Amino acid sequence: MLELKNKKILLFCPRFFNYENEIKKELENQGAVVDYFDERFGNSSVSKIVIRLQINCLLSLLSKKYYTNIINNQLQTNYDYIFFINAETILPETLKRLKNIYSNSKFILYMWDSIKNKPRTKELLEYFDKVYSFDKKDTFINKKINFLPLFYIDSYSVKIEPKFLYDIS
């Protein structure tokens, strides 16, 4: 496990049932300083249609504008880690730019959705130092992908007190 005390992390994660905030909070609980941004350039219906249908001209334009704004505002921070979860909208040329700007940072990708469902992800793999997926089948797509099962947040765990009918059976 990584030692995260006083490490600076630039986190990109889609908004999804508050997971992004829980992940950020856990990284901070482990001592990291985290700057979070949505991985998607927008969550409107139109943005989601552009992303799902892979309307490349709009996807490229909106993604480039979104990430350029973030990069320009974060240039003063030296990050130890650039962490993407479920990379879907970032462009290869933007990742290349990030790698050039943050050349001393470790780039990590975690896919909580199968790469089969996010085929554009394959063209991004070369820009990451570590790649993880919840889907064991993804490890057969590329040897760089490591299997890492899903996580859960404590608030979803159920505490059940066992009730026994018998002392001995």
Side-chain angles (χ1 to χ4, degrees):
M1 184 142 158
L2 294 173
E3 173 60 47
L4 296 180
K5 187 140 181 80
N6 299 319
K7 299 294 183 186
K8 293 181 182 163
I9 300 173
L10 180 56
L11 172 64
F12 293 96
C13 177
R15 289 193 174 129
F16 187 74
F17 294 104
N18 204 39
Y19 279 173
E20 69 284 358
N21 294 319
E22 293 293 332
I23 292 167
K24 180 180 186 279
K25 187 168 71 176
E26 181 56 33
L27 292 169
E28 290 170 339
N29 287 343
Q30 292 185 34
V33 176
V34 182
D35 290 327
Y36 161 75
F37 294 93
D38 195 332
E39 194 280 333
R40 297 180 191 133
F41 49 77
N43 281 298
S44 69
S45 297
V46 173
S47 296
K48 288 178 181 180
I49 289 168
V50 168
I51 294 166
R52 294 290 176 256
L53 297 180
Q54 296 291 297
I55 303 172
N56 289 330
C57 59
L58 284 175
L59 182 71
S60 180
L61 178 72
L62 295 169
S63 179
K64 199 173 290 185
K65 181 179 178 188
Y66 176 72
Y67 280 100
T68 296
N69 186 41
I70 292 170
I71 291 168
N72 291 341
N73 288 324
Q74 300 305 118
L75 282 175
Q76 302 307 316
T77 306
N78 292 320
Y79 292 103
D80 297 290
Y81 298 98
I82 311 295
F83 184 19
F84 276 84
I85 298 179
N86 232 38
E88 182 176 24
T89 64
I90 190 159
L91 303 171
E93 58 265 24
T94 306
L95 266 174
K96 187 175 182 179
R97 181 172 177 219
L98 276 171
K99 290 283 281 187
N100 287 331
I101 293 168
Y102 300 109
S103 59
N104 294 323
S105 301
K106 295 285 185 209
F107 282 68
I108 300 170
L109 170 64
Y110 180 77
M111 294 299 294
W112 67 29
D113 199 352
S114 174
I115 290 178
K116 179 181 169 188
N117 295 335
K118 311 282 184 201
R120 285 190 63 249
T121 303
K122 286 187 249 180
E123 65 189 74
L124 305 175
L125 297 178
E126 68 182 275
Y127 300 101
F128 290 96
D129 300 301
K130 294 280 186 181
V131 179
Y132 301 94
S133 175
F134 89 100
D135 189 347
K136 188 119 177 123
K137 293 175 187 169
D138 286 349
T139 63
F140 302 116
I141 292 172
N142 186 308
K143 293 187 187 291
K144 187 174 187 171
I145 302 171
N146 300 287
F147 176 63
L148 185 62
L150 287 175
F151 55 89
Y152 71 95
I153 55 179
D154 289 337
S155 62
Y156 291 167
S157 65
V158 178
K159 295 185 171 69
I160 300 173
E161 293 293 322
K163 294 184 180 182
F164 299 102
L165 296 175
Y166 308 103
D167 291 325
I168 298 176
S169 174

